[in-house]
Amino acid sequence: MSDKDHSTTMERILQEITTVSRRIEGMDASITSLTLETKSMRSDIAGFQSRVTGLEQRMGSLEEHATASQDRDQDLLYLRSKLTDMEDRSRRDNINLLGIPENEEGTDMQAFLSSTLSKLTSLDFDPPLELQRAHRVGPKRSDKSSSPRPIIACLLRHDQTRQILQAAHSHGPFRVDQHDI
């Protein structure tokens, strides 16, 4: 091998080394760029993990709230059924009287109804018929031609309420002073 060949070979080797060196520098730049991108991705992943953790906590809180809400709904349904039962029980001793003319009762509605119900039903109540309360329903009507307001009476004893209602069903409308009751 001659000096010329040797020099050409050396130039080629130097060129290849330069080319490889440039490639390595390019790879170093790529590696640096990838390292920065990886750091950025890690930061993004940490942010996503933080958001996911926050969402998991919020989801857990919502699930607890939903469970508590369902419990309250069940309690509310139970209380509504109890209230309905209590209202029904409080009304079972009531009787509704229709057709008694206005002011017929005078000043003592309970005494009037006690004597009138005994006469109408022909029942002998033992113990005597007692009313807890009695009143007309609704505002006083100024029109004399309109029908009289109904009377609601709450009896003290349920068996007396039942006897009066049975007598009314079996007898039909009662008549007092040409008025159907």
Side-chain angles (χ1 to χ4, degrees):
M1 198 170 181
S2 71
D3 282 338
K4 190 176 182 184
D5 287 337
H6 186 50
S7 154
T8 308
T9 304
M10 284 301 265
E11 277 182 31
R12 259 189 286 144
I13 290 175
L14 278 174
Q15 284 178 353
E16 285 182 27
I17 289 175
T18 305
T19 304
V20 168
S21 177
R22 285 184 188 147
R23 283 185 186 164
I24 289 173
E25 286 175 6
M27 285 183 188
D28 281 345
S30 295
I31 289 172
T32 304
S33 174
L34 286 174
T35 303
L36 290 174
E37 285 181 32
T38 303
K39 286 181 182 178
S40 174
M41 286 180 180
R42 284 184 183 157
S43 174
D44 290 346
I45 288 171
F48 289 140
Q49 286 175 337
S50 172
R51 288 182 191 154
V52 167
T53 302
L55 289 173
E56 286 173 345
Q57 289 172 348
R58 288 175 61 193
M59 191 66 149
S61 174
L62 288 173
E63 287 172 349
E64 288 173 11
H65 181 71
T67 301
S69 179
Q70 287 173 349
D71 291 344
R72 280 187 296 242
D73 288 348
Q74 288 175 349
D75 289 346
L76 182 61
L77 289 174
Y78 174 74
L79 290 174
R80 277 189 184 153
S81 71
K82 293 295 279 183
L83 178 63
T84 301
D85 182 55
M86 288 175 64
E87 286 177 347
D88 291 345
R89 287 177 189 272
S90 73
R91 288 187 184 122
R92 75 179 184 176
D93 293 330
N94 290 354
I95 56 172
N96 190 4
L97 299 154
L98 304 173
I100 296 177
E102 293 281 338
N103 300 322
E104 185 85 13
E105 67 274 6
T107 58
D108 190 0
M109 176 75 78
Q110 290 184 359
F112 168 75
L113 287 178
S114 183
S115 65
T116 303
L117 288 172
S118 294
K119 288 177 197 172
L120 288 175
T121 59
S122 302
L123 295 172
D124 186 26
F125 294 107
D126 185 35
L129 186 64
E130 291 182 72
L131 290 102
Q132 287 182 340
R133 62 188 173 278
H135 58 88
R136 289 204 181 258
V137 179
K140 193 164 190 151
R141 297 180 181 151
S142 60
D143 184 12
K144 299 290 183 192
S145 64
S146 65
S147 62
R149 295 176 293 159
I151 295 175
I152 300 278
C154 180
L155 280 69
L156 186 61
R157 293 175 189 83
H158 179 68
D159 60 327
Q160 291 176 342
T161 305
R162 192 174 29 77
Q163 288 173 341
I164 292 170
L165 292 175
Q166 285 174 347
H169 286 293
S170 65
H171 183 273
F174 295 104
R175 275 189 99 48
V176 174
D177 298 332
Q178 302 166 349
H179 298 287
D180 286 338
I181 308 295

